[in-house]
Amino acid sequence: MNIFWFIPTHGDSRYLGTSKGARQVDHAYMKQIAVAVDNLGYDGVLIPTGRSCEDPWITAASLIDATRQLKFLVALRPGITTPALAARMAATFDRLSNGRILLNLVTGGDEQELKGDGLYEDHSTRYQTASEYVKIWREILTRSHTGESFTFHGERLSVDDAKLLYPPVQQPHPPLWFGGSSEAATELAAEQVDTYLTWGEPPAAVKEKIQYLRAKAAAIGRTLNYGIRLHVIVRETNEQAWAAADELIQYLDDATIAAAQKKFAQMDSVGQQRMAALHGGRKDQLEVSPNLWAGIGLVRGGAGTALVGDPETVAARIQEYADLGIDTFIFSGYPHLEESIRFAELVFPLLPLKTRKKLAQPHLTGPFGEIIANNYVPETTEAKNLVKETA
């Protein structure tokens, strides 16, 4: 099980849909989050992309030297960059970070925003472009290890004698991730990507997606890894967690929700349509599956659901998705710095051993916690359990 967090380059706050509790996301703050999750044992971070975000490549590059093991999931944007340039950028980042870049293929979803970036393609055409883009990108990177060049002439894109002199660390190329729910998206995923991502839909819907993708990939002799993008609201009790969920949207009014939902309805993203359908823009039907809460999607595009509950409940829901075949979980919470720490402290000890091992400091043996009255060492959970077992 791989656990990722999120760098909020589009803003951060204690409450959604209001400037109350808002936080400035500057480089110092992003560095705080990156260092925290690196030290806590998260495997990587997703850095979002789009008009509402700081540039993901520059953001990620600025955090290489501040971190040790953390991987960066950064966007590839067909039509916004050329595949040859993107291959060179990916190889450079991979070399400078010693193999810590992952690529997230993003085809768009908001035609109005894409036109602002100079891309005038409808949904179907964007996927044709993306398919050729990935083929070129992958071949340039793969052939760089042997010094070969690559020529390709497609319907949308072409390159002649494309060559990369500095190969990436990861072979044959940094892993390619992708999420999409349309038929064109699943075709692209089955044929070309390494990890398929889904937003946090109810387990039954996720199961259906994975089964469908597995069959499509198997039909052409491929297998995929699977990941999911969710928010988390975890507290020591279920009551506290649900109260925190209510607090997150307590300043949201109907006009703000309606404006956000109107904008989302204009997008041609099937995934966004599926997110919106979970709640229908209503605040009175937000628990769309046990402990799966859709309140964030009232005003946030993209991932709009959160796992809500105490540590044991949230860990059980995570395992429910893992049992379906999900091996990578990309989480976030508001505010992102504090919630990354809270989630690690409360939930990591309940997750598979690989994650727990990362929390152990090999050269430090305690004491853990603040010394009581300058004299007494706090009892550890393990010590208390041992006393109970021997009593």
Side-chain angles (χ1 to χ4, degrees):
M1 184 181 292
N2 304 302
I3 306 296
F4 281 51
W5 198 249
F6 185 83
I7 302 294
T9 62
H10 53 22
D12 201 5
S13 181
R14 292 188 177 276
Y15 310 103
L16 290 177
T18 175
S19 61
K20 187 178 181 66
R23 182 170 298 183
Q24 179 173 318
V25 179
D26 55 16
H27 185 260
Y29 182 60
M30 291 188 287
K31 183 177 178 181
Q32 277 185 290
I33 298 173
V35 170
V37 299
D38 191 32
N39 290 337
L40 288 165
Y42 288 85
D43 292 276
V45 286
L46 169 63
I47 303 179
T49 187
R51 181 166 57 189
S52 63
C53 308
E54 299 280 15
D55 180 76
W57 283 87
I58 293 176
T59 299
S62 74
L63 298 173
I64 290 175
D65 201 42
T67 53
R68 298 167 297 172
Q69 304 296 324
L70 202 67
K71 295 183 178 180
F72 300 92
L73 183 54
V74 184
L76 277 184
R77 301 296 304 269
I80 306 298
T81 61
T82 68
L85 173 61
R88 194 174 305 123
M89 292 168 63
T92 298
F93 195 112
D94 206 44
R95 292 166 67 88
L96 297 181
S97 67
N98 194 27
R100 292 195 282 140
I101 191 172
L102 308 167
L103 283 305
N104 181 29
L105 184 66
V106 178
T107 59
D110 183 346
E111 284 197 34
Q112 182 179 350
E113 179 179 335
L114 292 172
K115 289 176 182 178
D117 285 338
L119 181 62
Y120 292 82
E121 294 181 349
D122 60 20
H123 184 274
S124 176
T125 306
R126 289 203 307 272
Y127 275 99
Q128 293 174 17
T129 300
S131 180
E132 295 182 3
Y133 183 101
V134 172
K135 288 177 182 176
I136 296 170
W137 180 86
R138 289 172 59 192
E139 284 296 325
I140 292 174
L141 285 161
T142 300
R143 295 178 185 222
S144 68
H145 296 286
T146 58
E148 298 176 69
S149 61
F150 178 60
T151 295
F152 175 87
H153 292 270
E155 294 183 10
R156 305 294 306 170
L157 299 172
S158 297
V159 291
D160 285 288
D161 198 28
K163 192 172 186 179
L164 186 61
L165 299 179
Y166 295 92
V169 173
Q170 299 179 85
Q171 297 192 33
H173 55 76
L176 186 63
W177 298 34
F178 170 72
S181 296
S182 67
E183 183 61 27
T186 58
E187 289 284 347
L188 178 61
E191 292 176 0
Q192 302 218 53
V193 308
D194 303 298
T195 296
Y196 176 78
L197 291 172
T198 179
W199 283 329
E201 298 182 19
V206 172
K207 179 181 180 180
E208 184 179 346
K209 267 188 177 182
I210 291 176
Q211 289 178 338
Y212 184 68
L213 262 296
R214 277 179 176 159
K216 288 182 79 71
I220 54 176
R222 299 190 74 237
T223 58
L224 304 178
N225 297 317
Y226 297 91
I228 192 167
R229 172 78 178 96
L230 285 157
H231 304 275
V232 282
I233 303 174
V234 60
R235 298 294 185 270
E236 293 191 11
T237 68
N238 281 310
E239 293 77 16
Q240 291 171 346
W242 284 109
D246 290 337
E247 288 173 4
L248 184 61
I249 60 171
Q250 66 178 307
Y251 297 108
L252 269 185
D253 56 37
D254 292 340
T256 301
I257 294 172
Q261 293 303 308
K262 180 180 179 180
K263 176 60 179 175
F264 298 152
Q266 296 170 357
M267 299 180 181
D268 59 13
S269 166
V270 176
Q272 183 63 63
Q273 293 166 11
R274 290 169 69 107
M275 281 281 101
L278 292 176
H279 52 71
R282 296 175 54 179
K283 295 175 70 173
D284 60 346
Q285 50 184 20
L286 294 177
E287 189 175 5
V288 297
S289 183
N291 303 99
L292 184 65
W293 182 73
I296 294 172
L298 291 172
V299 291
R300 186 195 192 280
T305 54
L307 295 179
V308 181
D310 63 24
E312 291 75 18
T313 299
V314 170
R317 296 304 177 206
I318 291 172
Q319 187 59 51
E320 188 175 1
Y321 284 112
D323 291 341
L324 300 177
I326 300 291
D327 53 33
T328 298
F329 294 80
I330 304 175
F331 293 123
S332 58
Y334 297 91
H336 288 72
L337 176 60
E338 293 94 314
E339 291 303 308
S340 69
I341 299 169
R342 190 197 305 269
F343 181 77
E345 289 178 347
L346 295 179
V347 183
F348 272 20
L350 305 176
L351 297 179
L353 185 60
K354 177 185 175 184
T355 305
R356 291 205 303 270
K357 278 185 176 179
K358 291 183 178 181
L359 298 179
Q361 295 286 343
H363 304 300
L364 299 178
T365 58
F368 297 101
E370 184 175 352
I371 304 300
I372 300 168
N374 298 330
N375 190 46
Y376 303 104
V377 176
E379 284 188 86
T380 65
T381 302
E382 291 76 7
K384 290 181 179 178
N385 290 338
L386 182 61
V387 170
K388 291 178 181 178
E389 292 172 3
T390 56

